[in-house]
Amino acid sequence: MLLKPPTSQLSLLRLSGETSGVSVLKPVDRPDSGGTRCSRPILLLANHFRVEFDPKLSIYHYDVTVAYVKENAGEGSSTPALGTGTNARVSKSDTRLVVKRVFADNPQFFSALQVGYDGEKSMYSPRPLQEGSYTVKISKGTDLREYKCTLKFAAKIDLVHLYKYLERSTTTTIENAIQALEVVMREYPANCRIARGRNFYSAAEVTDLGHGVEALNGFFQSLRPTAQGLALNVDFSIMAFYKSIPVIDFLGQNLVLQLNSAPVRMNGYEMRELENILKGLKVRVTHRNTNETYTIFGLSKRSAREETFDLFDVKGRSSSKNSAGSTTARNPKKATTIEKYFSDQYNVHLIYWYLPCLNLSRKSATYVPIELCVLAEGQRFSIENLSKDALKWLRGLTNISPRDRLDKIKKIVSAQDGPWGGEVARQFGLSGTANLTEVQGRILDPPDLKAGQDKRVKLDQNCQWNLLHYQLYDPKVISCWAIMSFVPPNRSKSTNQISQFAQALTSRCYDIGISIAQNPLDVRCVDINCLSDQDQLRRLLKDIAAKCNNNLQVLICVIAYKHAGYKVLKLISETEVGIMTQCCLGNNIERPNSQYLANLALKINAKVGGSNVALTSTPKAQCLSKDMHVMFMGADVNHPSPRDKVSPSIAAVVATMNWPAANIYEAKIKSQDNRKEKIVNLGDMCIELAQMYHERNRKYAEKVVFFRDGVSEGQFNMVLNEELDVIKEAFASISYNPSITLIVAQKRHRTRLFPADRRDATKQGNVPPGTIVDRKIVHVKEFDFFLCSHYGLLGTSKPTHYHVLWDENVFSSDELQTLVYNLCFTFARCTKPVSLVPPVYYADLVAYRGRLYYDGWLEAHSSSSSSSSSSSPFGFDHEMFPKLHRNIKHNICDGASMNLTHHDHKESDCRVSEKLILLPECMENHTLPHSTQPFPLIPQGSRAGLWCLQVN
């Protein structure tokens, strides 16, 4: 029977003017005034700054349209300007120039008026504007462009509605008011700095990262309606940008190819590499006096000396009749090369004539030699393409201490080119404070944990526990395991080294309760080049599986160094052969220490289905009991890089299979269309997981707590009104009607918490684990809270923002907050709480493992015929997506062992003695690219015995 909460808990809003009777769900309201449970209160500072506005004022919204009228290429030019035409799209930078010129040329209408303009369609004014069309001319060096700018009234936005909403006296939607004020607040910084969405960077604060890349300091800002009123969220930010340098210089720093005046003919691979580096970038040209920017759409197939085109004389293109009466052209077209054209027309003699040209037009080929192009400023450089050294340097710039971040935020808010600079905000009646928000937080009590033999786990002040004193809660018996070494003989010295490693590992496993066979069933040393030969690798894995009678529980793969074949190894072993693998680097087994071996054993136990710790009792909540089962579910979607328009997105859904321990997970993975956030096969995956729960427990769980990751506030409606319906319909199709609580977990936000009193901070200056906030900086009336569940080791801790969209289980604030915090202690691979609730964490790991499968599959099929449907540029055939082998499908959550570099966490570590093994997962402000390789043992800082270990 579906449990129904009181109607007051289910906020329903019927669409305005809706006659079909369809109701739209809204996120639930906060069930009380906030939580009260805690071990002690803590006073915090949040990077939210109160914003005051006049509710009596109105904002006038106008639609803006900017279009080309006509263009003159300038005297002496034989071809029209690049990238122009009456149907060409006007760039955002040009639309801003046009609007500014319209205001300057028409002082009778716009004198001393400041407006907020988003650079595209929307303009906001503090008073009515003169509607109509305005024609202006703008000089672009030798080019004179004429534009028509049209202003059309769209709406009047009364701020009184926003005021009433913040006072909780109305439920009227305020999206239009917030959007208008956001644009207004961004106007001045956008004119002073390099704007990227809600981030603004200064060209005066630069750090050279090498290879034509630099890091710029800046800030993030976002206007938010909160429980304390309207607030501006401001945070320090760093972003990598391309340097504004000649393209030829950039290539010289990023290609293996040596560029000099001596001719070098590029092969097909080098041409593809060159195109991949440059495609999509914006450049300026130097052969004409213009500040126009152009996008690189590709390369010419031949060099500037070999590429030809037909040239017309535009001054004599008309035709005449000859004596025979037929029509002839006065100046017929003639073929010329790119090199000759630029020599004749612009007196430019190419040095790198042997290189291909850049195509700067989408529709028709418009070629310009590479050496005549300069990278435009303000172009973001993808962090996943940074070199190892540059990434390390950027990480150091980003992982600043909480105190340093706090100081930077204060300086940003007070800066002349900061959020409150200029007169724009003041003309709209906006004013703000430079004081951070003081908010009362609470530190939750950690849960009671039990290890092996039901021994109670003792936590230290940082909520960590030490494996030296405990055995694992559910250690598994490993009777069949093997080792495959991809380390050259000159490095491994002999197979004796592998044997010594195996002996040390088994000894460490015994110490923490894992019963493992004394000797591996098979030990093989193979050439690392085998990782590049898929057929040979497949034969090796099948052979070792056959030798173990297909009962191999785990294969430890020792790899000499980071290798691109890692993803193919995972693909073949986990989808074709059915072997769970544990990878590590060769230099880590030469002198394996106790910490390393304990961490390895911890992960191996999780991969073979064991659990390392468990909660001693059911979390305290009226709606929860030991007899009424709860299934925790998590869902996430992994997307390809923004420049990848073909590869599928990977959706993953996981669910717990036991209660009340809730530490055994099953998972489902599906591919879907490129960058689609809505989970397409959500219903089927939920049905399969529910049936697996029933198979294991002989009953369905009466309650489901579903955590959704990876969605922004703008996608809440999709999750609540589309995905929730799919979940309910799927469950109902198998006569299963649990009560559902739906929660979004967000890490991609910019709220930071700082202890107001340094005595309340950890050694690193962060807030203690268990710090929770559900007042002042949270939503005006909806059910959300910030929880910092982990111990922050590097940089400034980022709390996770949990937003409850639907709650049929009717949790109180205390009950749900305690439940989420307790779950954070059950993550299988570390001995401390993690920063993200495990159902979401596992869903993220599994989705990324699916990404590895796809990348490995793509590499395996890269030599296939281009006519194959699977390699079609129109999309990926989802039926081709690799499926898990039946031998390991029940271990995929713990088996989805990625390099923990995806989230902004600093928490994962395994304590086994007085030393720590740290597993940092990401930089604080950037989501790092998913590396597909294991990482070496790296010393972190000067603290004795502190190491960073990243093992797969």
Side-chain angles (χ1 to χ4, degrees):
M1 181 66 69
L2 180 63
L3 301 178
K4 292 291 186 181
T7 56
S8 61
Q9 296 291 322
L10 308 179
S11 301
L12 296 179
L13 174 66
R14 191 169 300 282
L15 284 172
S16 172
E18 188 71 55
T19 59
S20 63
V22 177
S23 294
V24 175
L25 302 179
K26 290 181 60 182
V28 296
D29 290 345
R30 195 177 306 279
D32 44 42
S33 59
T36 58
R37 291 180 190 170
C38 67
S39 60
R40 62 185 175 91
I42 181 173
L43 185 63
L44 303 166
L45 298 176
N47 57 338
H48 287 217
F49 300 84
R50 184 71 184 272
V51 176
E52 301 292 344
F53 65 95
D54 187 349
K56 300 176 183 177
L57 297 181
S58 298
I59 296 176
Y60 299 86
H61 179 199
Y62 290 84
D63 286 335
V64 180
T65 304
V66 177
Y68 293 110
V69 176
K70 64 179 180 179
E71 299 139 12
N72 297 313
E75 292 187 15
S77 175
S78 62
T79 59
L82 287 166
T84 63
T86 54
N87 293 324
R89 182 178 180 272
V90 184
S91 67
K92 183 179 287 190
S93 58
D94 282 353
T95 58
R96 287 188 175 275
L97 288 175
V98 170
V99 168
K100 287 182 180 179
R101 180 58 60 87
V102 168
F103 276 49
D105 290 352
N106 298 275
Q108 68 275 24
F109 301 132
F110 309 111
S111 177
L113 178 66
Q114 300 280 357
V115 298
Y117 178 46
D118 66 359
E120 295 180 345
K121 285 284 294 181
S122 294
M123 178 184 292
Y124 300 95
S125 171
R127 60 179 174 82
L129 300 179
Q130 182 66 41
E131 294 183 78
S133 296
Y134 302 85
T135 302
V136 295
K137 294 181 179 180
I138 295 180
S139 174
K140 294 273 199 176
T142 57
D143 298 335
L144 185 62
R145 305 264 181 97
E146 189 171 354
Y147 301 86
K148 184 171 77 170
C149 176
T150 302
L151 301 181
K152 183 179 180 181
F153 177 76
K156 180 184 177 184
I157 302 170
D158 297 321
L159 296 184
V160 65
H161 299 300
L162 175 59
Y163 175 79
K164 290 181 178 179
Y165 180 87
L166 295 172
E167 292 294 317
R168 302 174 179 84
S169 59
T170 182
T171 58
T172 304
T173 57
I174 58 167
E175 284 79 6
N176 290 338
I178 294 296
Q179 180 182 354
L181 294 178
E182 279 266 30
V183 173
V184 170
M185 290 295 299
R186 290 200 296 261
E187 180 68 22
Y188 185 76
N191 289 327
C192 301
R193 294 173 174 250
I194 297 172
R196 284 294 172 269
R198 294 173 175 174
N199 296 272
F200 307 92
Y201 299 93
S202 172
E205 302 176 74
V206 180
T207 301
D208 189 357
L209 299 178
H211 298 281
V213 183
E214 59 190 9
L216 303 186
N217 286 9
F219 67 91
F220 163 91
Q221 71 172 42
S222 174
L223 206 59
R224 305 189 61 80
T226 67
Q228 68 167 335
L230 197 60
L232 190 67
N233 179 204
V234 180
D235 190 25
F236 169 69
S237 180
I238 291 181
M239 185 175 286
F241 288 86
Y242 289 89
K243 287 183 179 178
S244 182
I245 58 177
V247 174
I248 201 72
D249 293 345
F250 178 78
L251 293 179
Q253 300 178 44
N254 287 277
L255 285 179
V256 177
L257 185 70
Q258 295 297 319
L259 299 176
N260 49 53
S261 57
V264 177
R265 182 170 294 276
M266 303 178 70
N267 58 38
Y269 172 80
E270 291 168 337
M271 287 281 284
R272 288 192 297 272
E273 183 183 14
L274 178 63
E275 186 168 32
N276 288 337
I277 290 174
L278 296 178
K279 193 172 183 179
L281 296 180
K282 295 183 181 298
V283 296
R284 301 183 189 277
V285 296
T286 60
H287 64 283
R288 292 193 298 115
N289 182 19
T290 177
N291 57 3
E292 183 67 83
T293 61
Y294 309 101
T295 301
I296 300 174
F297 290 98
L299 301 178
S300 62
K301 295 181 180 179
R302 294 174 290 183
S303 69
R305 177 166 291 181
E306 298 168 327
E307 192 70 48
T308 62
F309 68 100
D310 292 330
L311 180 66
F312 293 89
D313 184 345
V314 296
K315 295 182 180 179
R317 202 170 173 181
S318 60
S319 60
S320 61
K321 290 185 178 181
N322 58 19
S323 57
S326 60
T327 302
T328 60
R330 271 188 213 163
N331 297 291
K333 65 182 181 181
K334 59 180 180 180
T336 186
T337 66
I338 299 292
E339 181 187 26
K340 188 175 187 307
Y341 170 77
F342 278 88
S343 176
D344 295 344
Q345 185 67 33
Y346 298 103
N347 195 30
V348 173
H349 302 286
L350 300 182
I351 298 174
Y352 303 97
W353 53 266
Y354 53 85
L355 292 178
C357 301
L358 302 182
N359 180 17
L360 304 184
S361 176
R362 183 191 300 272
K363 295 182 179 179
S364 59
T366 304
Y367 295 133
V368 176
I370 288 179
E371 62 196 87
L372 302 183
C373 296
V374 176
L375 292 175
E377 68 175 0
Q379 297 185 83
R380 180 179 182 177
F381 188 90
S382 177
I383 192 172
E384 64 186 16
N385 295 327
L386 284 175
S387 67
K388 181 179 178 180
D389 291 339
L391 189 58
K392 182 179 179 181
W393 186 252
L394 185 62
R395 184 182 301 175
L397 296 173
T398 307
N399 284 333
I400 58 176
S401 69
R403 190 56 53 181
D404 289 342
R405 180 179 290 272
L406 189 60
D407 292 340
K408 286 182 179 293
I409 292 173
K410 290 178 179 178
K411 290 179 181 178
I412 288 167
V413 175
S414 302
Q416 291 295 323
D417 58 352
W420 294 108
E423 293 294 324
V424 181
R426 280 184 277 277
Q427 285 209 12
F428 285 82
L430 300 176
S431 61
T433 176
N435 299 322
L436 287 91
T437 296
E438 282 193 357
V439 58
Q440 191 69 49
R442 293 171 289 124
I443 300 177
L444 300 180
D445 287 312
D448 292 331
L449 303 174
K450 56 184 176 182
Q453 302 171 345
D454 285 338
K455 189 175 181 180
R456 183 171 178 175
V457 175
K458 183 178 180 181
L459 304 179
D460 65 14
Q461 61 180 357
N462 298 324
C463 294
Q464 305 173 41
W465 61 97
N466 197 319
L467 279 181
L468 185 65
H469 309 300
Y470 307 100
Q471 292 190 343
L472 303 183
Y473 174 72
D474 182 20
K476 290 300 181 181
V477 175
I478 303 175
S479 57
C480 188
W481 63 292
I483 298 177
M484 183 179 289
S485 173
F486 297 92
V487 179
N490 61 335
R491 283 196 57 188
S492 60
K493 299 180 179 66
S494 68
T495 55
N496 289 337
Q497 188 175 76
I498 299 294
S499 299
Q500 292 169 5
F501 164 70
Q503 184 178 1
L505 178 61
T506 55
S507 176
R508 198 68 190 91
C509 286
Y510 289 141
D511 291 342
I512 59 176
I514 300 174
S515 297
I516 186 170
Q518 183 66 37
N519 297 308
L521 193 61
D522 195 358
V523 177
R524 301 193 184 191
C525 295
V526 298
D527 194 297
I528 193 170
N529 292 325
C530 177
L531 289 172
S532 302
D533 188 334
Q534 298 155 22
D535 293 333
Q536 184 181 359
L537 181 61
R538 184 177 290 106
R539 287 194 297 269
L540 274 171
L541 292 170
K542 286 184 177 180
D543 186 57
I544 199 170
K547 184 174 181 179
C548 301
N549 297 320
N550 292 317
N551 292 321
L552 188 63
Q553 291 170 276
V554 64
L555 174 65
I556 297 178
C557 297
V558 182
I559 305 176
Y561 51 83
K562 293 189 241 183
H563 196 283
Y566 167 83
K567 54 182 174 287
V568 180
L569 170 65
K570 291 292 186 180
L571 171 71
I572 296 174
S573 64
E574 296 177 6
T575 66
E576 296 183 29
V577 184
I579 298 176
M580 187 65 71
T581 57
Q582 171 66 55
C583 297
C584 52
L585 284 182
N587 60 353
N588 291 336
I589 72 162
E590 293 178 3
R591 297 181 184 85
N593 56 44
S594 181
Q595 295 93 331
Y596 178 84
L597 295 171
N599 186 71
L600 206 57
L602 196 72
K603 298 184 73 176
I604 289 173
N605 186 62
K607 288 190 175 187
V608 297
S611 57
N612 303 327
V613 72
L615 301 173
T616 59
S617 60
T618 306
K620 296 178 181 179
Q622 288 186 359
C623 63
L624 301 181
S625 68
K626 186 176 181 179
D627 297 328
M628 186 170 287
H629 284 213
V630 180
M631 180 170 65
F632 297 99
M633 304 183 72
D636 189 26
V637 181
N638 179 289
H639 299 292
S641 64
R643 294 180 67 178
D644 185 343
K645 306 299 182 184
V646 178
S647 297
S649 292
I650 311 297
V653 181
V654 307
T656 56
M657 292 290 118
N658 59 333
W659 174 257
N663 57 2
I664 298 175
Y665 285 80
E666 298 281 4
K668 296 296 174 182
I669 316 174
K670 297 283 187 180
S671 65
Q672 56 190 50
D673 291 345
N674 179 273
R675 304 202 68 77
K676 186 176 183 65
E677 183 59 43
K678 180 182 176 182
I679 302 178
V680 177
N681 296 293
L682 179 59
D684 293 339
M685 291 190 279
C686 288
I687 289 174
E688 292 177 33
L689 291 168
Q691 290 174 335
M692 293 169 74
Y693 189 99
H694 185 276
E695 181 181 348
R696 179 184 288 264
N697 298 278
R698 298 184 179 180
K699 65 177 293 186
Y700 288 114
E702 287 84 358
K703 300 175 182 296
V704 170
V705 179
F706 194 105
F707 294 91
R708 181 66 159 93
D709 187 27
V711 293
S712 63
E713 292 177 1
Q715 296 168 317
F716 281 4
N717 182 65
M718 178 268 293
V719 175
L720 183 56
N721 286 285
E722 296 179 39
E723 291 187 344
L724 178 61
D725 280 349
V726 170
I727 295 170
K728 287 187 172 186
E729 290 173 4
F731 286 157
S733 70
I734 57 173
S735 301
Y736 174 40
N737 296 294
S739 53
I740 299 174
T741 296
L742 176 61
I743 306 168
V744 171
Q746 295 177 303
K747 289 293 289 185
R748 294 183 180 180
H749 63 84
R750 303 304 289 266
T751 295
R752 297 292 186 275
L753 302 173
F754 307 90
D757 189 333
R758 295 193 182 189
R759 292 173 295 182
D760 290 327
T762 63
K763 290 182 180 179
Q764 289 74 19
N766 280 306
V767 296
T771 298
I772 194 162
V773 174
D774 59 2
R775 290 169 173 80
K776 293 187 79 171
I777 62 173
V778 294
H779 195 275
V780 177
K781 61 186 182 68
E782 293 173 7
F783 190 4
D784 68 326
F785 56 91
F786 292 92
L787 172 62
C788 189
S789 53
H790 65 296
Y791 183 86
L793 288 163
L794 300 175
T796 306
S797 294
K798 179 192 288 189
T800 300
H801 183 214
Y802 296 95
H803 202 123
V804 184
L805 301 186
W806 187 254
D807 185 20
E808 293 174 351
N809 292 304
V810 199
F811 284 101
S812 70
S813 293
D814 277 326
E815 290 170 347
L816 187 59
Q817 292 164 7
T818 301
L819 173 64
V820 171
Y821 184 47
N822 288 1
L823 286 174
C824 291
F825 284 78
T826 64
F827 190 66
R829 282 183 260 150
C830 58
T831 56
K832 64 190 298 186
V834 291
S835 68
L836 191 61
V837 67
V840 168
Y841 207 143
Y842 283 126
D844 182 70
L845 291 174
V846 173
Y848 175 64
R849 175 49 51 91
R851 174 65 56 201
L852 281 187
Y853 292 160
Y854 172 76
D855 290 343
W857 178 91
L858 196 63
E859 186 170 312
H861 290 74
S862 60
S863 58
S864 300
S865 171
S866 60
S867 62
S868 170
S869 61
S870 62
S871 59
S872 169
F874 300 105
F876 172 74
D877 183 358
H878 301 299
E879 294 300 319
M880 302 289 290
F881 186 75
K883 295 178 175 57
L884 290 172
H885 193 279
R886 62 181 181 276
N887 288 358
I888 65 166
K889 65 181 180 179
H890 297 307
N891 297 3
I892 184 59
C893 280
D894 295 310
S897 171
M898 62 177 281
N899 299 309
L900 299 180
T901 52
H902 179 56
H903 285 292
D904 299 333
H905 317 323
K906 305 294 182 298
E907 73 275 16
S908 299
D909 71 73
C910 170
R911 293 197 65 183
V912 293
S913 69
E914 293 307 312
K915 298 181 180 180
L916 293 175
I917 296 177
L918 307 181
L919 292 172
E921 298 170 46
C922 183
M923 302 182 344
E924 186 60 36
N925 287 320
H926 290 74
T927 300
L928 291 185
H930 297 305
S931 173
T932 59
Q933 312 301 331
F935 288 88
L937 194 65
I938 307 169
Q940 295 287 312
S942 59
R943 178 177 166 187
L946 186 60
W947 297 84
C948 165
L949 173 63
Q950 293 178 311
V951 233
N952 252 17

